[in-house]
Amino acid sequence: MTPAAPPRVLVLRALGLGDLLAGVPALRALRRGFPDHEIVLAAPAALAPVAAAAGAADRLLPASAPGRAVPARLDWSGPPPDVAVDLHGNGPPSHRLLTRLRPRRLFAFAHPGTPEVDGPPWYAQEHERDRWCRLLRAYGVDADPADLLLPRPPGPSPAPGAVVLHPGAGAPSRRWPVERYAAVADALRAGGHRVVVTGGPDEDDLVARLAELAGLPGPDVFGGGLPYDRLSALVAGARAVVSGDTGIAHLAVAHAAPSVTLFGPVPPSRWGPPADPRHRALWHPGPDGDPHGRRPDPALLRITPDDVLDALAGLPGAPGP
């Protein structure tokens, strides 16, 4: 006789690398809270290695949409989920995507557009890691926002001990000028430090421009979007990681690699690293801007290369100029 399939928990977080890493504490809480369930994570297929490394899900259900939107549908089969969890957003599109699957229970924030969802209130200024853990606690699932570290990658770093500069981000408003990254690279290299540059699959021009301005040799240029296993190993073995508010900054936190993260238009109080001497968040307070804007945010532009170099010099065991 075939044994009955276990009940399933479906978690929607069809976003990017940084979003998934910020959601790891909540995902691990669900794993602990539902030990006899299969945890199915609806997220982009490219993030399967990240989810596996985090021990956050038993299976990944490929799901994504352009521009961080809610997917139009989920390729769900079999009985309805025992529990559906909206870790994607707080609005009717994600609520309705999940309710169409007829889950026995739905964990989601309240929204006036879906009054049938009886969830806790959404606070726009709340830190991302804290937000999702609070959601779960409202439904009786204990969650710890500090439970975010990943195990060390099994493979070697392609550039052990290097300072990693990552000039890209998901939107121009979060991209510090490449000329300033080059000034940081020049100062670090003059101090005898190895500097490497990374970029995503669509950022080859940006990577090439930084490499040219800083005179970086070919072996120190990692364009084209490194596969997750190599990127993870590079970050875990880095002397420091310098980037804007984007996925690699969260990866540095997950691997406890020293980091300096440049914030604007969104403050670190919402997406920044935990309080830890290994991590520095640079931010010049001001009004929030558009995180998906088409030009570098004014708050980001107030950060200077000297600010970054001073922050690096203040990291435990990290490089200075």
Side-chain angles (χ1 to χ4, degrees):
M1 185 175 182
T2 304
R8 293 180 289 178
V9 175
L10 172 63
V11 186
L12 176 65
R13 194 151 177 84
L15 297 164
L17 172 62
D19 304 281
L20 178 55
L21 292 171
V24 161
L27 287 163
R28 286 177 171 161
L30 289 167
R31 174 73 286 166
R32 293 190 301 270
F34 295 92
D36 299 324
H37 289 58
E38 181 186 25
I39 309 296
V40 181
L41 173 63
L47 296 181
V50 190
D58 298 303
R59 179 165 62 88
L60 187 137
L61 179 69
S64 61
R68 301 173 63 84
V70 175
R73 62 182 297 273
L74 295 175
D75 191 18
W76 183 265
S77 60
D82 184 58
V83 182
V85 185
D86 187 353
L87 295 189
H88 191 97
N90 75 318
S94 55
H95 290 176
R96 290 171 180 157
L97 176 67
L98 293 173
T99 56
R100 285 198 297 268
L101 301 177
R102 297 178 293 110
R104 191 169 70 87
R105 289 178 288 173
L106 173 64
F107 295 176
F109 283 108
H111 190 280
T114 47
E116 69 276 13
V117 176
D118 184 21
W122 172 279
Y123 303 133
Q125 300 303 316
E126 189 170 21
H127 195 285
E128 189 76 358
R129 288 187 300 273
D130 297 336
R131 168 180 291 129
W132 303 114
C133 290
R134 179 173 63 86
L135 172 68
L136 297 187
R137 288 195 294 267
Y139 289 98
V141 178
D142 187 37
D144 178 6
D147 184 15
L148 47 75
L149 296 180
L150 296 180
R152 190 165 184 87
S157 168
V163 179
V164 178
L165 303 184
H166 186 92
S173 60
R174 289 181 281 126
R175 294 178 195 153
W176 200 49
V178 68
E179 294 80 8
R180 301 191 193 184
Y181 277 105
V184 171
D186 287 344
L188 290 172
R189 296 182 75 210
H193 304 290
R194 184 180 181 184
V195 175
V196 304
V197 57
T198 63
D202 302 320
E203 295 174 343
D204 281 355
D205 289 348
L206 193 61
V207 169
R209 176 66 175 155
L210 175 51
E212 178 185 13
L213 288 172
L216 298 179
D220 293 343
V221 181
F222 297 95
L226 285 176
Y228 173 73
D229 58 344
R230 292 193 75 210
L231 179 64
S232 183
L234 176 67
V235 168
R239 180 165 293 193
V241 176
V242 180
S243 75
D245 176 18
T246 191
I248 198 169
H250 294 273
L251 191 58
V253 169
H255 283 309
S259 67
V260 175
T261 307
L262 288 56
F263 280 87
V266 177
S269 59
R270 290 166 57 187
W271 282 93
D276 187 306
R278 288 172 294 195
H279 307 300
R280 292 287 305 275
L282 299 184
W283 162 250
H284 289 276
D288 283 7
D290 179 3
H292 310 295
R294 300 179 64 178
R295 295 185 179 182
D297 187 80
L300 183 66
L301 293 178
R302 286 197 286 272
I303 300 172
T304 68
D306 283 343
D307 291 335
V308 174
L309 292 166
D310 288 345
L312 284 169
L315 294 176

